[in-house]
Amino acid sequence: MYWAEVAVVLSGYLSFFFLINFIQVFLKTASNIKYPHLILNVLKYFLILMTLFYLISGNYKIPVGVLSLVSPVITFIIFLVCCYAIYKKIPSSVLLSVAFLGSLLGIFIYGLKNVNILPNTLFTSYAYYVGFSVQGVIFSLALAARYKQLKKELIDTQREANETLENKVKERTEELEILHQEMVTQNEELQQSQEEILAQRDAIEIKNHELAQINTQMRSSIEAAKVIQKAILPYPQKREQLLRDHFVIFKPKDVVSGDFYWLNKIENTTFIVVADCTGHGVSGAFMTLIGNNLLDKIIRVWGIKNPADILSRLNEEVEIVLRQKETGNNYGMDASVMIFTPKDGGSFEAVFAGAKQNLYIIRQGQASVEVIQGKRKSVGGFQNPASFFENRPLTLQKNDRVYMSTDGYIDQNNKVRKKILEKGFITLLEQVQALTMSEQKHALQEYLQSHMQGTKQRDDILVIGFEL
């Protein structure tokens, strides 16, 4: 008896629960009809609560009585929801409405029979079951219709997906074709560029080879010029013979130099010339050849022995040799000429003349440098005709030290563009006076190397020092 009661209560409430759930799923009330969906949820919660009440309390009469009262109500509410679904044009909602209308009519006829309004006939006695049977049949039809609809929707969805996929594939194929054409074009352009680059590379290699040959020839020519220039400079034995204790710092900026010096002894008089020609490198070296040949002619051939006259005649000859009045070129040189002749008692009679160069002397027993100024006038080019070179007569003693220099050492800058200047050069000469001439050369070279560290040599350098 107990299990029969349990079966009645549970089957009744759970049947309505799953029926409501079926309606929600079938009609998709959650997305199609929001508020009826909430009402159906309330009914489901009510059915669950009544089921739990029965299981906990064990009271059979109350749940059964409630079930008898709410069954037609729930059926009617479901019918109204189905009608609302018809209004919303939800598929298969008409069949559901008819199904629940059949069950409602069966319940209504059965109820009228129970209150003796309708006679107790076979139809009125089983109207309840007939209504639910009709509901079941129509449910089956609704499910079949729903199945057909879902199948159609699935087919339509699949077709749309296929069309979309085909369109995407077609678009992607077109994009890939465009990319392919672009890549083909780019490859052709790259191939053409590569061919051009290879052609340019071959041309550059040919030019580099030609330039290397030209450079080799030029280097050979310059090296030959260096040998020639070295040959015209006084050789060491001659320097030792005429100057004795001395040093020469000769540092061309390039392979060959625009600086040179000329040294000879005629009778008992020694002639020394230090010159800085216009330019450096090859152009300067050509000027040194001209200057050296002209000095040979002026002093040794023509016998001019006066330093100022030597510079004046050198100025005239440079102008003639270079045809400066015709060509307008302004090449020339800065130069200084000193002659000295030994006298009795260990003294020397000397004469100096300078063309934009000075003479530096440190006398025996003195600590300071005596500067003998040259004329502010160059040799060659366009000079002031009213300005003349001047002789500076000097009387020197044995062990006096004499220094002659071009402007290369003095004008050399360091990495912050600060030059040594004449003042710095004089200070250096005074600092090294306790040393021998060879030691002085080493000290001057070391200072120069330290000073120009981090920068390049800017001009040819020539410094000569000797002790009488």
Side-chain angles (χ1 to χ4, degrees), residues 276-287:
D276 179 3
C277 299
T278 302
H280 45 76
V282 174
S283 60
F286 273 109
M287 282 299 298

Side-chain angles (χ1 to χ4, degrees), residues 9 12-13 16 46-47 49-51 53 59-74:
V9 174
Y13 282 103
F16 277 109
F46 172 75
L47 293 171
L49 289 175
M50 290 304 301
T51 303
F53 171 78
N59 189 317
Y60 173 74
K61 291 184 179 181
I62 294 176
V64 171
V66 171
L67 181 61
S68 299
L69 293 175
V70 300
S71 294
V73 174
I74 292 174

Side-chain angles (χ1 to χ4, degrees), residues 357-375:
Q357 286 186 2
N358 298 331
L359 183 72
Y360 307 95
I361 301 172
I362 296 184
R363 298 183 183 273
Q364 173 70 15
Q366 299 294 323
S368 60
V369 173
E370 181 181 344
V371 181
I372 311 301
Q373 298 286 340
K375 194 72 174 179

